[in-house]
Amino acid sequence: MIPIISVVGRSNSGKTTYLEKLVAECKRRGYKVAVIKHHHNDFEIDKPGKDTWRHAEAGADVVCIASPHKMAMIKKTDQELSLDQVVSYIDNVDIIFTEGYKQETKCKIEVYRQGNINAPLGVKPELLAVVSDTVVYESIPHFALDDPGAMADFLEVKVLNK
């Protein structure tokens, strides 16, 4: 089973910026990485007028585009898929990071910045670590916002069993 780590935090806490650094560090170490971004509203990744958009507009329930270097699938759904359902489409990676999905019971890394006006999310049983500019919870491992290498070391031991 591929390990899943959800990077969570309040809005504007720096989740995306930190996840970019962590993904780059994991790739530098030779890992295959997937990222799933949770979005609360509808979204579009296709451009109006392009072929795949036209196929979807014509009524296709699933549209894929493939090239020698990447593939994308757009699938219409009747309701939001659970994280496990989304994960079922992913294979051939060493780790899956999500941005968001704070309600799921997967292992989590909370990103918190002291300057953020919102409080931290709070300790939950699945909270694996905190990335912050201050110690947030005494009982949870803490990592600096600008040191993804230390987090990658931690994940190699705790999650990837290296």
Side-chain angles (χ1 to χ4, degrees):
M1 180 175 236
I2 304 168
I4 302 167
I5 305 293
S6 291
V7 176
V8 300
R10 305 270 185 203
S11 183
N12 295 317
S13 61
K15 297 179 299 290
T16 300
T17 300
Y18 184 75
L19 189 52
E20 283 178 295
K21 294 175 189 176
L22 185 56
V23 166
E25 178 63 23
C26 289
K27 290 301 297 174
R28 187 187 69 70
R29 294 176 184 219
Y31 292 105
K32 291 184 179 181
V33 178
V35 176
I36 301 169
K37 165 69 176 155
H38 185 250
H39 198 283
H40 295 285
N41 298 313
D42 196 13
F43 65 91
E44 289 296 328
I45 63 168
D46 215 357
K47 294 181 181 174
K50 291 298 199 176
D51 294 349
T52 52
W53 179 87
R54 291 172 57 195
H55 298 312
E57 286 296 301
D61 295 299
V62 178
V63 177
C64 293
I65 184 168
S67 75
H69 304 286
K70 56 187 158 183
M71 185 277 294
M73 176 185 358
I74 304 165
K75 180 178 179 178
K76 294 179 183 175
T77 59
D78 295 333
Q79 61 188 18
E80 183 174 5
L81 299 178
S82 71
L83 178 53
D84 287 335
Q85 289 172 308
V86 176
V87 165
S88 72
Y89 289 97
I90 299 173
D91 60 7
N92 198 30
V93 297
D94 299 306
I95 191 166
I96 299 170
F97 291 110
T98 77
E99 183 179 336
Y101 289 102
K102 60 185 166 195
Q103 304 306 322
E104 293 274 347
T105 57
K106 305 295 185 202
C107 289
K108 292 179 176 63
I109 297 169
E110 181 177 352
V111 177
Y112 176 77
R113 284 183 297 133
Q114 197 170 16
N116 195 331
I117 59 170
N118 295 309
L121 295 175
V123 177
K124 303 252 182 344
E126 62 273 7
L127 187 59
L128 190 63
V130 175
V131 175
S132 181
D133 53 2
T134 185
V135 175
V136 180
Y137 315 111
E138 293 292 334
S139 60
I140 305 294
H142 169 268
F143 297 89
L145 288 160
D146 61 353
D147 188 8
M151 177 63 77
D153 291 341
F154 177 75
L155 292 176
E156 283 183 329
V157 172
K158 280 292 254 196
V159 177
L160 296 167
N161 301 315
K162 296 290 178 184

